[in-house]
Amino acid sequence: ELKVEQNPLFLSMQEGKNYTIYCNYSTTSDRLYWYRQDPGKSLESLFVLLSNGAVKQEGRLMASLDTKARLSTLHITAAVHDLSATYFCAVGNFNKFYFGSGTKLNVKP
Amino acid sequence: ETGVTQSPTHLIKTRGQQVTLRCSSQSGHNTVSWYQQALGQGPQFIFQYYREEENGRGNFPPRFSGLQFPNYSSELNVNALELDDSALYLCASSLAALAGGYEQYFGPGTRLTVT
């Protein structure tokens, strides 16, 4: 079964700092997703990455995909408190989807 | 354009009972996936329905079953409830061919508590 590992699981950072969340997966996949989840809420789609070398950016978040290394990164630039949430990566493999355990991000004002 | 809706919002059941959760897809979407998210965990894929047929299944026992209707709405049925079934159940819709889809849009979820 495909495994998805995220690290770190918890991240506490100061506003204005940069950081990267890593997502490794165990077997070939044709697409990778990043989601945000606020406490008690559903999942909000951030990025869908479909090919090797894909890079997408939205505001202070940038996601990239390296299919050869089976690695995706979510880079946070100049963090602000509003980015505090849990971030999940998910991998699509045929008609099944596999989520990581999530990275709980706390940005301190 | 309406988003993905789920009902009920919250539900409390007793061990051994059966439950049905409902999901209405986003307008125009023909694929629905269901997930179980235990507290503090990532969502676990239960199954996916495409044009009324099950199109992929995760590691869940047969007592988890589903339906998709001609209007692409969907139900998740769980028989013989166990305490470990307590979780947030999420459905997600997408517009997909058999490849399993690209972007998924999640509903607000149903919080199921089994006592």
Side-chain angles (χ1 to χ4, degrees), chain A residues 5-87:
Chain A
E5 292 186 356
Q6 284 183 240
N7 68 85
L9 297 182
F10 298 93
L11 179 54
S12 182
M13 55 193 298
Q14 296 292 134
E15 279 192 329
K17 298 293 186 182
N18 304 331
Y19 210 83
T20 300
I21 299 170
Y22 297 89
C23 174
N24 290 91
Y25 53 98
S26 60
T27 59
T28 302
S29 170
D30 53 3
R31 57 203 182 281
L32 188 131
Y33 305 81
W34 284 98
Y35 294 93
R36 168 181 172 146
Q37 188 175 39
D38 291 296
K41 304 292 186 181
S42 187
L43 296 167
E44 174 191 352
S45 178
L46 297 174
F47 303 107
V48 182
L49 303 170
L50 300 176
S51 60
N52 187 43
V55 177
K56 291 193 175 180
Q57 182 164 5
E58 182 72 36
R60 301 175 188 275
L61 301 177
M62 183 174 71
S64 66
L65 178 62
D66 181 343
T67 57
K68 294 179 181 177
R70 298 175 189 159
L71 170 68
S72 180
T73 61
L74 181 66
H75 187 72
I76 303 156
T77 302
V80 293
H81 181 65
D82 285 352
L83 289 179
S84 296
T86 299
Y87 293 85

Side-chain angles (χ1 to χ4, degrees), chain B residues 65-106:
Chain B
S65 63
L67 285 172
Q68 188 181 30
F69 300 100
N71 66 354
Y72 302 132
S73 65
S74 177
E75 287 182 353
L76 164 66
N77 298 291
V78 187
N79 293 322
L81 284 166
E82 301 177 359
L83 296 178
D84 284 350
D85 295 334
S86 296
L88 179 68
Y89 287 85
L90 297 163
C91 78
S93 75
S94 59
L95 179 60
L98 292 176
Y102 296 120
E103 190 145 11
Q104 297 185 93
Y105 297 86
F106 282 82

